[in-house]
Amino acid sequence: RKEVEQDPGPFNVPEGATVAFNCTYSNSASQSFFWYRQDCRKEPKLLMSVYSSGNEDGRFTAQLNRASQYISLLIRDSKLSDSATYLCVVNLFGNEKLTFGTGTRLTIIP
Amino acid sequence: EADIYQTPRYLVIGTGKKITLECSQTMGHDKMYWYQQDPGMELHLIHYSYGVNSTEKGDLSSESTVSRIRTEHFPLTLESARPSHTSQYLCASSESGLAENNEQFFGPGTRLTVL
């Protein structure tokens, strides 16, 4: 079992729809969580951190469920520019290292 | 935009050659990282550094080596390239401080092909 697990997709979603991704992680003591975005053949970039109480940034909402060891990302009113791979990233052991999921590939269809 | 640079962006080289992938950042970050990513796969940490003269192996075993003589540079070297080394190599850096607050900034990557 992978330490950080995501549904690889692809998710093909019409423009304007709402889409949600989940990610599970293996270590219940993990302290910090992030969503990164990676465009095709580009480097990953931080989309948002995930806080215990849940947090929102415009059309994006991230939530953490510690009891079930998963984090989620919700994208509302999806745009064509949202097409990318979304990486679930976890600081599993409280050290300097981040563990990346395989990523969920999202394509927004006009 | 992050001020972290990698050269070359693309490298095609024959088996047995020695190569060095360059990574530099102008943000004064103490922590730097090297990841390896194959197409459609997750990033794997191969090396990291907490500061000058500090280097550690990552989670994925790699035949490459790194050095950190200056804060801003973190080069990766392969003494004898092989086709199994073909991959994308991504360099990243982050500030010191609490790990949970520190965004990692990535360079554009080097796509290495070993024939």
Side-chain angles (χ1 to χ4, degrees):
Chain A
R1 185 191 166 202
K2 292 189 177 183
E3 292 178 314
V4 176
E5 204 143 10
Q6 296 180 250
D7 181 346
F11 284 54
N12 298 316
V13 173
E15 192 175 6
T18 296
V19 60
F21 311 131
N22 283 343
C23 163
T24 58
Y25 58 94
S26 61
N27 183 7
S28 60
S30 299
Q31 291 299 314
S32 48
F33 312 88
F34 311 89
W35 284 102
Y36 275 69
R37 170 189 169 134
Q38 186 172 25
D39 292 309
C40 188
R41 303 179 84 81
K42 297 278 195 177
E43 72 273 22
K45 292 185 179 180
L46 179 68
L47 178 65
M48 57 197 303
S49 301
V50 186
Y51 301 122
S52 296
S53 54
N55 48 301
E56 192 173 301
D57 182 2
R59 297 181 293 108
F60 298 85
T61 301
Q63 296 211 309
L64 168 64
N65 184 319
R66 284 192 184 275
S68 300
Q69 292 177 221
Y70 78 81
I71 66 173
S72 64
L73 177 68
L74 182 81
I75 306 174
R76 289 182 299 279
D77 186 25
S78 52
K79 313 287 184 195
L80 295 176
S81 57
D82 294 334
S83 296
T85 296
Y86 290 83
L87 306 174
C88 174
V89 184
V90 180
N91 184 272
L92 280 172
F93 303 108
N95 54 21
E96 310 301 333
K97 298 188 284 184
L98 299 179
T99 301
F100 288 75
T102 310
T104 297
R105 192 165 149 206
L106 172 67
T107 301
I108 305 300
I109 304 165
Chain B
E1 289 294 317
D3 295 320
I4 178 164
Y5 310 99
Q6 291 186 243
T7 57
R9 293 289 310 277
Y10 303 92
L11 179 62
V12 181
I13 202 161
T15 296
K17 301 289 186 186
K18 177 180 178 179
I19 59 169
T20 296
L21 308 185
E22 299 289 348
C23 176
S24 60
Q25 50 93 7
T26 57
M27 298 174 281
H29 288 170
D30 285 327
K31 300 177 204 169
M32 295 188 75
Y33 312 83
W34 276 104
Y35 293 89
Q36 187 173 337
Q37 185 181 30
D38 292 323
M41 303 297 287
E42 62 266 52
L43 279 78
H44 289 289
L45 182 68
I46 51 174
H47 299 283
Y48 61 102
S49 167
Y50 292 156
V52 171
N53 294 325
S54 147
T55 61
E56 302 285 346
K57 293 231 179 247
D59 303 318
L60 180 69
S61 175
S62 173
E63 293 165 344
S64 59
T65 59
V66 292
S67 62
R68 190 89 185 274
I69 299 170
R70 288 158 53 185
T71 299
E72 58 270 27
H73 288 155
F74 191 38
L76 180 145
T77 298
L78 275 165
E79 289 293 331
S80 179
R82 293 209 300 272
S84 60
H85 297 139
T86 295
S87 189
Q88 167 149 298
Y89 293 83
L90 288 156
C91 180
S93 71
S94 65
E95 293 180 9
S96 294
L98 293 174
E100 59 262 30
N101 295 333
N102 291 337
E103 175 183 356
Q104 287 191 11
F105 295 89
F106 284 83
T110 294
R111 277 193 191 276
L112 173 65
T113 302
V114 184
L115 303 175

